[in-house]
Amino acid sequence: MTPENKQTLNTSGTSGTRLQFDWSWVSNNGGVIALIVILAFNVIVTPNFLNPQTLFVNISQVATIAIVAVGMTLVIATGGIDLSVGAVMALAGAMAPLIFTSPFAEANPQIGLVLSIVVPVLVALLCGAFNGFMVSYLNVQPIVATLIFFISGRGIALVLTNGNLQTFTNPEFSYLGTGKILGFPFQGYLVLLIAVVVWWVVNQTVFGRQLLAVGGNEKAARLSGVPVKRVKIGAYVICAGLSGMAGLIVVAINSASDAARIGNLMELDAIAAAVVGGALLQGGKAPIFGAILGAVIIQLVKYTLLANGVADEVALIAKAGIIVTAVYLQQARKE
């Protein structure tokens, strides 16, 4: 028997042999396999799946998940979690229309447009700094620290808008969500830009190496001189900033801001996308493009179920199942 055959056959103590399947290959390529299966199913079964309008809608929907998932991946890489991303989206989305419909912005439309993008993102960054400070300096568990803003952030957004739906007509702002470049959605380009920049930061900068070191072994990183607290704050700040940008895109797509609905359950989608993309919940790994792949899978699962008449509640169960499966494959890969 050749050495290659010995690796795939397991002698059972009798005259026969038993073929063993290499599950490590499945666990290492599970995301790609899942994407191929979902795409094939939709091409065959789902009506109008390849219609340009359907593709545009899916890209628009997946963009927000992907942007938040990239930020969530950084937080998870430190060994943390961020439950406040949906609330940050709601807050940023509520602020933008208030700014560009204000008397000052109406008198200075170009300045108002810039402020309606910059100010909400800056506020989102401050939210991330708050989360990072709670985790790093007050030693509050990440799930508890971010739960604070998970509750209060949406409440602040509702107070700012008096709980009312804000509708508007602003073509320049709406371009964030509905614009196209060479027939491809603008937010698709934005996702690619963000992914490339964050990938470069993780893989080519000192901060990126420190980020992975903190998640891999925080005590060893601290003893090696890594500024653990600042690195953690940085991860939460980036995550919140990207969440704020995602909130602006949602508002731009709908030409309306509903603080009660924007970002609902986004934390589940973002965590699922990050884990499916290969992020380890214990930290130490930040697969940025894996998070994009995970976001595509999450969105396609949601779309597939709804397009084939399955209730949205079942989609939630499916997402939970995806997370469980991804975590199981991570454990299988370790063994």
Side-chain angles (χ1 to χ4, degrees):
M1 184 178 295
T2 65
E4 291 80 4
N5 289 336
K6 288 181 181 179
Q7 292 178 357
T8 58
L9 295 177
N10 178 34
T11 303
S12 61
T14 66
S15 58
T17 57
R18 180 168 56 88
L19 185 64
Q20 287 185 327
F21 185 76
D22 186 7
W23 284 101
S24 63
W25 184 88
V26 176
S27 63
N28 289 329
N29 299 277
V32 175
I33 294 172
L35 179 60
I36 292 173
V37 171
I38 295 171
L39 288 174
F41 176 86
N42 279 291
V43 169
I44 296 171
V45 176
T46 305
N48 302 316
F49 176 69
L50 296 180
N51 183 286
Q53 184 61 32
T54 300
L55 295 177
F56 182 88
V57 170
N58 274 307
I59 292 173
S60 299
Q61 294 294 327
V62 79
T64 53
I65 301 174
I67 291 172
V68 180
V70 168
M72 185 68 75
T73 297
L74 296 183
V75 171
I76 291 176
T78 67
I81 204 78
D82 190 346
L83 299 182
S84 69
V85 292
V88 172
M89 287 178 63
L91 179 57
M95 293 183 65
L98 291 176
I99 294 173
F100 64 65
T101 57
S102 66
F104 173 81
E106 290 178 350
N108 304 273
Q110 295 305 317
I111 296 176
L113 178 64
V114 173
L115 291 177
S116 67
I117 296 174
V118 173
V119 173
V121 172
L122 288 177
V123 171
L125 294 174
L126 289 175
C127 297
F130 171 82
N131 289 335
F133 177 81
M134 294 288 288
V135 172
S136 302
Y137 286 91
L138 299 185
N139 295 317
V140 179
Q141 287 293 325
I143 195 170
V144 176
T146 58
L147 184 63
I148 295 172
F149 208 83
F150 169 86
I151 299 171
S152 62
R154 193 173 298 278
I156 295 172
L158 289 168
V159 169
L160 288 175
T161 61
N162 292 319
N164 298 322
L165 174 69
Q166 302 176 87
T167 59
F168 59 87
T169 301
N170 189 319
E172 292 179 306
F173 183 84
S174 295
Y175 188 85
L176 284 174
T178 60
K180 293 182 181 180
I181 300 177
L182 299 176
F184 191 76
F186 171 78
Q187 63 264 45
Y189 291 102
L190 185 61
V191 169
L192 292 176
L193 176 62
I194 290 172
V196 170
V197 171
V198 176
W199 176 90
W200 181 83
V201 169
V202 170
N203 292 277
Q204 303 296 326
T205 68
V206 173
F207 173 78
R209 291 190 290 272
Q210 292 175 339
L211 181 85
L212 299 180
V214 169
N217 190 321
E218 183 175 328
K219 183 177 180 181
R222 183 178 290 106
L223 292 175
S224 299
V226 174
V228 173
K229 293 180 180 179
R230 291 206 300 270
V231 169
K232 285 187 175 182
I233 290 177
Y236 282 95
V237 167
I238 295 173
C239 182
L242 292 178
S243 299
M245 178 58 67
L248 297 181
I249 292 175
V250 173
V251 171
I253 290 173
N254 298 317
S255 292
S257 175
D258 185 354
R261 296 180 61 85
I262 293 177
N264 269 344
L265 299 179
M266 178 56 76
E267 53 281 344
L268 174 60
D269 286 345
I271 293 170
V275 173
V276 169
L280 302 177
L281 291 177
Q282 64 267 33
K285 189 176 179 182
I288 302 303
F289 289 103
I292 304 298
L293 173 64
V296 173
I297 292 173
I298 295 301
Q299 170 57 26
L300 284 179
V301 167
K302 186 192 308 184
Y303 170 81
T304 301
L305 294 175
L306 294 177
N308 289 278
V310 180
D312 191 43
E313 291 79 3
V314 178
L316 296 177
I317 298 174
K319 288 182 213 175
I322 289 172
I323 297 176
V324 171
T325 302
V327 172
Y328 171 78
L329 289 176
Q330 286 183 3
Q331 296 300 322
R333 191 179 308 164
K334 290 180 185 179
E335 298 171 359

